[in-house]
Coordinates of all heavy atoms in Angstrom, one line a residue:
Chain B
L1549 N -43.6 22.1 -7.2 CA -43.9 20.9 -6.4 C -42.7 20.8 -5.4 O -41.5 20.7 -5.8 CB -43.9 19.7 -7.3 CG -44.0 18.3 -6.7 CD1 -45.3 18.1 -6.0 CD2 -43.7 17.2 -7.7
T1551 N -40.1 19.1 -3.3 CA -39.5 17.8 -3.3 C -38.0 17.9 -2.9 O -37.7 19.0 -2.3 CB -39.7 17.0 -4.6 OG1 -39.1 15.7 -4.5 CG2 -39.2 17.7 -5.8
G1553 N -35.0 17.6 -4.9 CA -34.0 17.8 -6.0 C -34.7 18.5 -7.1 O -35.9 18.5 -7.2
E1554 N -33.9 19.2 -7.9 CA -34.5 20.0 -9.0 C -35.0 19.1 -10.1 O -36.0 19.5 -10.8 CB -33.5 21.0 -9.5 CG -33.4 22.2 -8.5 CD -32.2 23.1 -8.9 OE1 -31.8 23.1 -10.1 OE2 -31.6 23.7 -8.0
E1555 N -34.3 18.0 -10.4 CA -34.6 17.3 -11.6 C -36.0 16.5 -11.4 O -36.3 16.2 -10.2 CB -33.5 16.2 -11.9 CG -32.2 16.9 -12.2 CD -31.4 17.2 -10.9 OE1 -31.9 16.8 -9.8 OE2 -30.4 17.9 -11.0
P1556 N -36.7 16.2 -12.5 CA -38.0 15.6 -12.4 C -37.9 14.2 -11.6 O -38.9 13.9 -10.9 CB -38.3 15.3 -13.9 CG -37.6 16.3 -14.6 CD -36.3 16.6 -13.9
G1557 N -36.8 13.5 -11.8 CA -36.8 12.2 -11.2 C -36.5 12.1 -9.7 O -36.3 11.1 -9.1
K1558 N -36.4 13.3 -9.0 CA -36.0 13.3 -7.6 C -37.2 13.4 -6.7 O -38.2 14.1 -7.0 CB -35.1 14.6 -7.4 CG -33.9 14.6 -8.2 CD -32.6 14.3 -7.4 CE -31.4 14.1 -8.3 NZ -30.2 14.7 -7.8
G1559 N -37.1 12.7 -5.6 CA -38.2 12.7 -4.7 C -38.6 11.4 -4.2 O -37.9 10.4 -4.5
N1560 N -39.7 11.3 -3.4 CA -40.2 10.0 -3.1 C -41.2 9.6 -4.2 O -41.4 10.3 -5.1 CB -40.9 10.0 -1.7 CG -41.9 11.1 -1.5 OD1 -42.3 11.7 -2.5 ND2 -42.4 11.3 -0.3
A1563 N -44.0 12.2 -4.9 CA -43.5 13.4 -5.6 C -43.2 13.1 -7.1 O -43.5 13.9 -8.0 CB -42.3 14.1 -4.9
K1564 N -42.5 12.0 -7.3 CA -42.1 11.6 -8.6 C -43.3 11.5 -9.5 O -43.4 12.0 -10.7 CB -41.3 10.3 -8.7 CG -39.9 10.5 -8.2 CD -39.2 9.1 -8.2 CE -38.0 9.1 -7.4 NZ -37.5 7.7 -7.2
R1565 N -44.3 10.8 -9.0 CA -45.5 10.5 -9.8 C -46.3 11.9 -10.0 O -46.8 12.1 -11.1 CB -46.4 9.5 -9.1 CG -47.7 9.2 -9.8 CD -47.5 8.5 -11.2 NE -48.8 8.3 -11.9 CZ -49.0 8.5 -13.2 NH1 -48.0 8.9 -14.0 NH2 -50.2 8.3 -13.7
H1567 N -45.0 14.8 -10.1 CA -44.3 15.5 -11.1 C -44.7 15.1 -12.5 O -45.0 16.0 -13.4 CB -42.8 15.4 -10.9 CG -42.0 16.2 -11.8 ND1 -41.3 17.4 -11.4 CD2 -41.8 16.2 -13.1 CE1 -40.7 18.0 -12.4 NE2 -41.0 17.3 -13.5
E1568 N -44.8 13.8 -12.8 CA -45.2 13.3 -14.1 C -46.5 13.9 -14.5 O -46.7 14.4 -15.6 CB -45.3 11.8 -14.1 CG -43.9 11.1 -14.2 CD -44.1 9.6 -14.0 OE1 -45.2 9.1 -14.0 OE2 -43.0 8.9 -13.8
A1571 N -46.4 17.7 -15.0 CA -45.6 18.0 -16.2 C -46.3 17.7 -17.5 O -46.0 18.2 -18.5 CB -44.2 17.4 -16.1
F1579 N -47.3 24.7 -14.4 CA -46.4 24.0 -13.6 C -44.9 24.5 -13.8 O -44.4 24.5 -14.9 CB -46.4 22.5 -13.9 CG -45.5 21.6 -13.0 CD1 -45.6 21.8 -11.6 CD2 -44.7 20.7 -13.6 CE1 -44.7 21.0 -10.8 CE2 -43.9 19.9 -12.8 CZ -43.9 20.1 -11.4
N1582 N -39.9 21.4 -9.9 CA -39.7 21.1 -8.5 C -39.1 22.3 -7.7 O -38.4 23.1 -8.3 CB -38.7 20.0 -8.4 CG -39.2 18.6 -8.9 OD1 -40.4 18.5 -9.0 ND2 -38.3 17.7 -9.0

Side-chain angles (χ1 to χ4, degrees):
Chain B
L1549 174 70
T1551 179
E1554 280 169 29
E1555 299 83 8
K1558 300 255 170 138
N1560 56 8
K1564 285 180 196 168
R1565 178 67 184 139
H1567 186 105
E1568 282 174 13
F1579 183 50
N1582 290 348

